[in-house]
């Protein structure tokens, strides 16, 4: 059985494990349960009744969090002709094949997310075995491939996040920082819960969301109310 530190134990005592908290209550409480000296991330975790081995039960997509994530997202924008536009929009790095060569030759991964215009996809496909396993492969389904590089960069910098159910049906993503005002955390929690409920696969029978909790980095989980 895993042993927890004094701070974790103290934080756990603030939570009623038998209670499912309203979104507002949970957001107020999660700010009090941080166990780190730094400004912890606040994450939301869902346990879904889906079988991701079935094509019609995939739960994956993107959502723009209204209050942002609190993180400075490093965006790599790949385009033959629109790199300058991407930089003006806030991309951390922008360019074409030379940046893909840098990834291959120098094992360079000084970025968090990659977006690209369609003209780059032929070149990007050649390094798919490198980007794919790291979750960095641009994909039209997640809004990271398209002709409007400025829009993609702006959304990614402004709080657009990707969610995806793993093999066990778990979805985990960051929704802010402990330093966020409660109302900002609440906005983000409501937005992602609404999105997860919206994309419920039609073939799922019975209860869809089996559990939903929010928690800080290394902090205890707080059960959150949701409605189906």
């Amino acid at each position: 059985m895993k042993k927890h530190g004094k701070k974790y134990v103290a934080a756990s005592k603030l939570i009623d494990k038998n209670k499912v908290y309203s979104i507002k209550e949970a957001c107020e409480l999660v700010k009090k349960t941080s166990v780190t000296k730094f400004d912890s991330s606040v994450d939301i975790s869902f346990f879904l009744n889906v079988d991701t081995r079935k094509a019609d039960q995939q739960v994956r997509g993107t959502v723009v969090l209204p209050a942002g994530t609190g993180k400075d997202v490093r965006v790599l924008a790949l385009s033959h002709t629109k790199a300058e536009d991407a930089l003006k929009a806030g991309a951390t790095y922008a360019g074409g094949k030379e940046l893909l060569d840098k990834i291959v030759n120098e094992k360079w991964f000084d970025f968090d997310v990659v977006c690209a215009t369609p003209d780059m996809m032929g070149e990007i496909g050649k390094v798919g075995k490198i980007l794919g396993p790291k979750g960095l492969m641009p994909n039209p389904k997640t809004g990271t491939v398209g002709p409007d590089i400025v829009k993609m960069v702006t959304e990614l910098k402004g709080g657009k996040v990707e969610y995806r159910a793993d093999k066990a049906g778990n979805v985990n993503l960051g929704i802010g920082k402990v330093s966020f005002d409660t109302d900002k955390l609440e906005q983000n929690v409501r937005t992602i819960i609404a999105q997860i409920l919206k994309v419920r696969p039609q073939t799922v029978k019975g209860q869809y969301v089996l559990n939903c909790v929010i928690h800080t980095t290394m902090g205890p989980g707080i059960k959150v109310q949701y409605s189906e």
Side-chain angles (χ1 to χ4, degrees):
M1 186 174 178
K2 184 178 179 181
K3 294 186 70 175
H4 294 289
K6 292 180 180 179
K7 289 184 177 180
Y8 184 98
V9 172
S12 296
K13 290 179 180 178
L14 299 174
I15 302 168
D16 183 347
K17 294 182 180 179
N18 297 316
K19 180 177 179 178
V20 180
Y21 290 86
S22 70
I23 294 175
K24 183 177 181 63
E25 287 177 325
C27 290
E28 290 174 343
L29 186 55
V30 78
K31 289 168 61 66
K32 301 175 183 177
T33 60
S34 177
V35 296
T36 63
K37 293 181 179 180
F38 56 87
D39 186 13
S40 290
S41 293
V42 177
D43 298 341
I44 191 166
S45 299
F46 298 88
F47 180 34
L48 305 179
N49 177 28
V50 295
D51 184 351
T52 56
R53 293 173 298 178
K54 298 179 179 178
D56 58 2
Q57 290 196 18
Q58 299 289 323
V59 176
R60 181 183 184 185
T62 59
V63 61
V64 177
L65 300 177
T69 62
K71 297 179 180 178
D72 182 17
V73 181
R74 300 169 299 172
V75 178
L76 169 60
L78 298 171
S79 177
H80 285 306
T81 60
K82 299 179 179 179
E84 190 173 332
D85 293 339
L87 288 172
K88 289 179 180 178
T92 312
Y93 308 100
K97 186 176 181 299
E98 74 281 0
L99 294 181
L100 292 175
D101 290 341
K102 186 175 181 179
I103 290 170
V104 173
N105 298 326
E106 300 178 24
K107 302 296 186 286
W108 174 67
F109 296 103
D110 192 23
F111 46 87
D112 303 305
V113 63
V114 183
C115 62
T117 48
D119 60 294
M120 283 295 301
M121 292 311 294
E123 295 289 344
I124 294 172
K126 297 174 184 178
V127 297
K129 290 183 179 179
I130 297 174
L131 295 177
K134 292 181 177 292
L136 293 170
M137 190 70 179
N139 189 321
K141 293 181 179 180
T142 59
T144 48
V145 176
D148 193 341
I149 197 82
V150 170
K151 180 183 179 183
M152 288 189 291
V153 170
T154 302
E155 288 184 342
L156 290 168
K157 295 290 287 186
K160 186 175 187 177
V161 294
E162 181 180 356
Y163 59 86
R164 184 175 189 175
D166 64 17
K167 292 179 181 179
N170 297 301
V171 176
N172 304 290
L173 71 159
I175 52 166
K177 295 282 190 176
V178 169
S179 59
F180 275 27
D181 292 338
T182 301
D183 62 334
K184 287 187 176 182
L185 283 176
E186 188 177 350
Q187 288 175 32
N188 283 354
V189 171
R190 291 188 184 280
T191 297
I192 186 59
I193 287 178
Q195 179 67 18
I196 293 297
L197 294 178
K198 179 182 177 182
V199 298
R200 171 180 177 147
Q202 294 184 346
T203 54
V204 170
K205 305 298 182 183
Q207 189 174 352
Y208 166 50
V209 180
L210 301 177
N211 196 21
C212 175
V213 301
I214 63 173
H215 53 92
T216 63
T217 305
M218 296 183 285
I222 302 165
K223 291 185 179 180
V224 181
Q225 288 179 358
Y226 59 89
S227 57
E228 291 194 40

